[in-house]
Amino acid sequence: MLITFKSKAAAEVPMYKEHAKRMLDLLHKDTDRGIITAAEAGSAVKLLEQEIAESRAHPASDEVTRDVNAHHGEQGDDPDHEGAQIVSFATRAFPLLQMLKAARDQGQDVVWGV
């Protein structure tokens, strides 16, 4: 399921709900419907930037490492299997972060689910 973030300050940002959930949980917002006001946008930017910095400090999880080892282990279970391509939190958050910065700078709200 997709969530589409909208603001008069930037182009729409569509995002899978499962990916947006982590960001919205940080901001204490509901995934189905919500608003980040222009007044909240500054603190939202700071929170997302902090989480991006934290995610960069710990880029690969144990789960991803186990998956790669299962497909490329010593037993050669699947030698033709593609390596894991990780889309980082920073990459997923970038479009929303840019929208929030524009909303903050232009005094506009960001809404979704309406």
Side-chain angles (χ1 to χ4, degrees), residues 64 67-72 77-86:
V64 172
D67 183 54
V68 170
N69 290 337
H71 295 289
H72 298 285
D77 294 339
D78 189 1
D80 296 327
H81 183 76
E82 292 287 326
Q85 294 183 3
I86 300 169

Side-chain angles (χ1 to χ4, degrees), residues 17-27 51 55 89:
K17 189 174 187 176
E18 65 189 76
H19 300 147
K21 183 175 179 358
R22 179 175 175 191
M23 293 170 233
L24 293 173
D25 285 349
L26 283 170
L27 305 174
E51 188 67 14
S55 72
F89 176 77

Side-chain angles (χ1 to χ4, degrees), residues 7-103:
S7 177
K8 291 181 180 178
E12 291 182 357
V13 174
M15 189 178 298
Y16 284 111
K17 189 174 187 176
E18 65 189 76
H19 300 147
K21 183 175 179 358
R22 179 175 175 191
M23 293 170 233
L24 293 173
D25 285 349
L26 283 170
L27 305 174
H28 306 287
K29 300 291 184 178
D30 184 53
T31 55
D32 293 328
R33 178 183 297 173
I35 183 170
I36 299 170
T37 65
E40 296 173 319
S43 63
V45 167
K46 287 179 186 176
L47 284 170
L48 282 177
E49 287 176 338
Q50 288 171 350
E51 188 67 14
I52 288 168
E54 180 66 24
S55 72
R56 286 182 175 156
H58 308 285
S61 70
D62 292 333
E63 184 177 327
V64 172
T65 302
R66 281 193 302 272
D67 183 54
V68 170
N69 290 337
H71 295 289
H72 298 285
E74 293 176 17
Q75 299 164 351
D77 294 339
D78 189 1
D80 296 327
H81 183 76
E82 292 287 326
Q85 294 183 3
I86 300 169
V87 178
S88 69
F89 176 77
T91 300
R92 292 196 193 281
F94 183 77
L96 181 58
L97 181 61
Q98 293 303 105
M99 176 183 270
L100 287 168
K101 286 179 178 180

